């Protein structure tokens, strides 16, 4: 399907799409923690975290792009977004002492997404021509895994449970 959308000159970069998507998953998660800092108007913490992650990305790119080419930029950006996520989590939880969503609560969903994306990337590299059935199969497995994860966590984080005392 992707081959219908992009010219042939971009086909070699298609395997990087899962890596880029995972980077944007990190961006989404970091905004959950960023909001605490923004609400408290601690712009210096936001600026510092963003600057550190940006410098980290530049250093990683300077080292890895000459060794591995443009593909390294996708991976270094993913690592930098992960670093930015960590910094904003630490800002909210440790520095501001906010009661934020614990990272370990988000970790299973992130892990499942990561594994599925890396498997999809690997399979794509092995089989350049995805059949429609193969593509739907991968999406079906992903959907089942995500639904299982949501079903498993649906009973969590709904506030305190009522207890009934015996008379």
């Amino acid at each position: 399907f992707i081959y219908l959308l992009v010219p042939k000159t971009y086909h070699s970069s298609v395997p990087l799409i899962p890596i880029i998507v995972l980077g944007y998953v990190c961006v989404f998660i970091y905004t959950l923690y960023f909001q605490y800092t923004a609400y408290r108007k601690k712009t210096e913490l936001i600026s510092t975290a963003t600057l550190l992650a940006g410098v980290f990305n530049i250093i990683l790119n300077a080292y890895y792009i000459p060794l591995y080419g443009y593909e390294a930029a996708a991976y270094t950006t993913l690592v930098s977004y992960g670093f930015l996520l960590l910094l904003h989590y630490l800002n909210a939880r440790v520095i501001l002492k906010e009661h934020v969503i614990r990272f370990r609560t988000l970790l299973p969903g992130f892990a499942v997404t990561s594994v599925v994306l890396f498997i999809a990337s690997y399979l794509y590299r092995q089989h350049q021509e995805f059949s429609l059935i193969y593509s739907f199969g991968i999406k079906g497995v992903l959907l089942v895994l995500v639904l299982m994860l949501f079903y498993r966590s649906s009973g969590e984080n709904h506030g305190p449970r009522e207890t009934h005392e015996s008379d």
Side-chain angles (χ1 to χ4, degrees):
F1 178 72
I2 194 77
Y3 292 113
L4 300 173
L5 300 175
V6 297
K8 286 187 180 194
T9 54
Y10 294 105
H11 288 191
S12 64
S13 61
V14 169
L16 295 175
I17 291 173
I19 307 307
I20 295 166
V21 168
L22 194 56
Y24 281 102
V25 169
C26 288
V27 169
F28 167 73
I29 295 172
Y30 108 76
T31 61
L32 298 174
Y33 302 114
F34 162 86
Q35 295 300 327
Y36 290 95
T37 312
Y39 178 76
R40 291 261 199 107
K41 296 183 171 104
K42 299 291 185 178
T43 55
E44 70 279 358
L45 293 175
I46 296 169
S47 299
T48 302
T50 304
L51 183 66
L52 287 173
V55 169
F56 187 57
N57 193 12
I58 291 169
I59 291 168
L60 290 176
N61 282 336
Y63 182 77
Y64 286 107
I65 290 176
L67 295 174
Y68 299 105
Y70 73 92
E71 291 184 356
Y75 289 95
T76 58
T77 301
L78 169 61
V79 171
S80 297
Y81 283 156
F83 184 57
L84 185 62
L85 163 61
L86 176 67
L87 291 175
H88 280 290
Y89 175 79
L90 293 174
N91 279 344
R93 182 148 178 89
V94 177
I95 295 174
L96 298 176
K97 301 194 184 328
E98 293 284 349
H99 297 286
V100 299
I101 300 170
R102 291 189 177 271
F103 193 71
R104 70 174 178 233
T105 303
L106 302 173
L107 195 57
F110 186 76
V112 168
T113 303
S114 300
V115 167
V116 169
L117 286 172
F118 280 109
I119 288 172
S121 179
Y122 172 77
L123 291 174
Y124 182 82
R125 289 175 192 262
Q126 299 303 315
H127 309 283
Q128 292 291 320
E129 299 290 330
F130 268 120
S131 71
L132 191 59
I133 293 172
Y134 194 55
S135 177
F136 280 125
I138 289 175
K139 291 173 185 172
V141 169
L142 175 60
L143 178 63
V144 168
L145 289 172
V146 169
L147 289 175
M148 287 172 46
L149 182 67
F150 284 129
Y151 178 76
R152 187 176 141 242
S153 65
S154 66
E156 298 174 9
N157 299 327
H158 290 288
R161 294 198 166 114
E162 293 183 29
T163 57
H164 300 284
E165 295 181 18
S166 303
D167 289 328

